[in-house]
Amino acid sequence: MKEHSIEFRAGDGRTPHSAPLVMTQATKSSTTNSRIELYTQEPMVNWLGPFQLMRTGLQSAVATTMGAFADPRDVSAMLNPRNANPPIPVPADGDLWVDYLADTGDGWDSTYSMALCVSQDVKLPEYPLTLPRGDVLLLGGDQVYPTPAQSGYRTRFLDPFRAAFPAPVPKVRPNDQDQPVPQPGAPWIVATPGNHDWYDGLRGFSQLFCEQKPIGGWETRQRTSYYVLQLPNGWWVWGLDLQLESMIDREQKRYFKEMHAKLQPGDRVILCAPEPSWVDEAERLAREESKALPSIETQTPRFRSLREIEELLGDHLAVVLAGDSHHYARYQPKAGTQAPQRITCGGGGAFLNGTHQLPDPPKPINVGGTRQHYDLAAVYPDKKTSEQLRNRAWRLPTRNLSFCGMLAILYLLFDWMVQSASKVPHPARDNRSLMEELSRLEASIPNLLEAWRQLFLVMAYSPSSVMLAVTIVLGCAVFSAAGVKRTRKLAYAVGAAHGLLHLGLAIGLLWLMGRVNIYYFQLEVDDLQQVLLFLSGTLLFGGVLGGLLFGAWMVIGNTLWGLHSEVVFSSQCIADHKCFLRMHFKGDQLTIYPLKLEKVCRRWSVASGVAKLAKVQRTWRLRATPESTGPRFVPASGALELQLIEPPIEIGRE
């Protein structure tokens, strides 16, 4: 049989609703055509990796700066004028199922697990109930992490989604490989860009979602980064693009004003926003109340933009959906008040965010001159579990060797500087080096103060060590204050204390190595054996103790002062506790099923009917045939078990 390698194209020849979430075997038969497929199973992003920190920070700064001068949304609006970008009608025979999934494109295990969930029917045995696969998949932002650069979309988004719901293999190789394979009743996929999608100026996002090219078995229909879907029975979905930290652009605002004119009395809208900016607004109002003299602090650009669209919609607005925060949280209006349901559901594959710091209840927010009062109705994971997961951040050395290695190198560099500077004779040390002087001191409180005094004597003659020490202290201070919008002075002070502890650990390592190598082993300070023991010991103990100090301090800072709310979780790369929404539109009724996946699969097997040709590092090479209609990988043991986070949420159109 002759092999052919063709591109992925939409369609799998299946009915709109596939079998429940159970992996089935494909039959084997000879065929005249086959397709070679490559899938790369990426690990989760190491957010505290030294190079990752620098790369992400640089790309974020460049994207923000360039976006302030050249907005790609203006170019997209010129290429797609409003009269050529009408609402996208979604055909349906009464019942319509729509999925909402946000914050995908991180590690393979979590992203592929969620891609499998949204590509299959879901059985809920406890009810019993079967939820058909969505006719439309709404992606709520951040489809790739950390950035779209270096084939980010391909390996972290396309590979898992095309493997979970692949395009069909035609029985006869087509003459034009760019021609999509027809698939009657293929589901759609539409996307809202998040901040990570914007890190390349939205170029990759536009090529992927706005050119009507299929993604595996899904079809894309949107023309711009914002869209309107017209569902049957007076239901609509609006997707917003609010860029990074800018306001909504003029053309997009005009577009939605025209879409608003198409709404009929009684129509209801589900609004997809890139982030839950209403939480930021509630926290801002809480800060203002706590101040004796209110400041001129203003709303964030994204909330101002969201508020403009909400005011435009008025009573048509039924639900606001958002990702960005990687958890589930639903704020419902207080009894007797009129306001939309606000749901954060960012469990599509990225690292878990905690829920224990969410405002409960939040301060009332003002939209269209009306104060909206909310209660926190449900969260996932629950706040107790969130705190327990937060407390595990002290295990940093077991999770992030590269970051701990960076800390060890900083300690070694600082000790090297001060030890070299102490080679200059000084009468206060009897002309001994700092390491020799410390080796004479036993561990005690008075000697601890003496060790600091000796360090300051040396640093007085070493400007380079002073600069490094200041850099460490200031770096920890800035790290603690990152993302903090209140008590910033306290955050800087706590961070500075954190930096001083790292300096103390560095001098403690020099003291320990001097005590062991010089006092107990009786080695000379310049002896090669002593130098090698010092280097290996400082790197080993510095990495372990520095990682423990950094992780424990993040936990303490979050517990006592609410600091490090994101990094205390991102440093752990928690792949579990994922979630998505499956929505059922039937007549005048919308029913939202919030679904959770407690444990993602971590061991995969190649599906039957697909031939494994090779595996090189993390990349698999498979051969698929026209009979290979299911997912390319299946869980090695058991099926994925989905459960409801809370009872279904029912919303009427009237």
Side-chain angles (χ1 to χ4, degrees), residues 30 36 101 127 188 198 243 260 293 310 408 423 550 591 606:
S30 62
I36 304 302
L101 183 71
Y127 277 86
W188 296 0
W198 265 97
Q243 209 200 47
H260 176 261
L293 295 175
E310 291 190 15
K423 289 290 188 175
F550 201 96
T591 305
V606 177

Side-chain angles (χ1 to χ4, degrees), residues 8 20 61 69 75 85 91 108 113 118 244 252 254 304 333 343 351 379 408 434 454 481-482 507 519 583 597 645:
F8 286 89
F69 293 97
V75 178
N85 190 21
W108 169 273
S113 293
V118 297
L244 293 167
Q252 186 177 175
R254 289 179 178 176
R304 291 202 302 272
I343 301 176
F351 65 89
V379 295
L434 178 60
Q454 293 292 339
I507 195 62
Y519 184 80
M583 297 180 282
L597 182 64
I645 298 174

Side-chain angles (χ1 to χ4, degrees), residues 480 494 497-498 501 548-558 561 564:
S480 290
V494 170
H498 184 198
L501 287 177
L548 290 174
L549 171 60
F550 201 96
W553 193 262
M554 287 194 298
V555 175
I556 294 171
N558 186 261
W561 304 291
H564 314 304

Side-chain angles (χ1 to χ4, degrees), residues 268 314-315 317-318 332-342 365 367 370-374 654:
R268 304 301 300 276
D315 293 339
L317 183 58
Q332 67 178 6
K334 286 183 178 292
T337 64
Q338 292 292 331
Q341 295 273 350
R342 298 184 182 273
I365 60 177
V367 177
T370 302
R371 289 170 62 83
Q372 297 181 352
H373 298 259
Y374 283 94
E654 296 299 330

Side-chain angles (χ1 to χ4, degrees), residues 481-644:
V484 175
K485 297 176 182 176
R486 57 178 176 177
T487 63
R488 292 185 66 87
K489 292 182 180 179
L490 175 62
Y492 281 118
V494 170
H498 184 198
L500 291 174
L501 287 177
H502 282 286
L503 291 179
L505 178 56
I507 195 62
L509 291 171
L510 186 64
W511 188 355
L512 174 64
M513 292 297 100
R515 190 72 178 164
V516 172
N517 296 350
I518 298 176
Y519 184 80
Y520 289 108
F521 291 167
Q522 296 295 308
L523 298 175
E524 295 294 330
V525 67
D526 293 326
D527 185 87
L528 178 60
Q529 185 178 0
Q530 192 283 134
V531 172
L532 294 176
L533 286 175
F534 169 74
L535 291 173
S536 58
T538 301
L539 291 175
L540 175 62
F541 291 111
V544 174
L545 297 178
L548 290 174
L549 171 60
F550 201 96
W553 193 262
M554 287 194 298
V555 175
I556 294 171
N558 186 261
T559 303
L560 299 181
W561 304 291
L563 306 175
H564 314 304
S565 57
E566 179 160 325
V567 73
V568 76
F569 282 93
S570 66
S571 63
Q572 301 184 61
C573 297
I574 301 174
D576 297 317
H577 305 284
K578 296 295 167 271
C579 57
F580 75 101
L581 305 178
R582 181 151 289 180
M583 297 180 282
H584 184 203
F585 295 86
K586 185 175 183 180
D588 291 340
Q589 188 75 19
L590 164 61
T591 305
I592 302 176
Y593 298 89
L595 297 166
K596 65 180 179 180
L597 182 64
E598 292 276 1
K599 296 288 185 181
V600 304
C601 180
R602 290 173 169 81
R603 294 180 61 249
W604 303 97
S605 300
V606 177
S608 299
V610 181
K612 174 185 174 182
L613 301 181
K615 181 185 179 184
V616 180
Q617 295 180 340
R618 296 189 299 268
T619 300
W620 294 70
R621 188 169 185 260
L622 308 179
R623 179 198 291 129
T625 67
E627 287 74 31
S628 307
T629 58
R632 298 313 190 224
F633 300 90
V634 296
S637 58
L640 301 175
E641 298 181 0
L642 288 164
Q643 298 174 311
L644 283 174

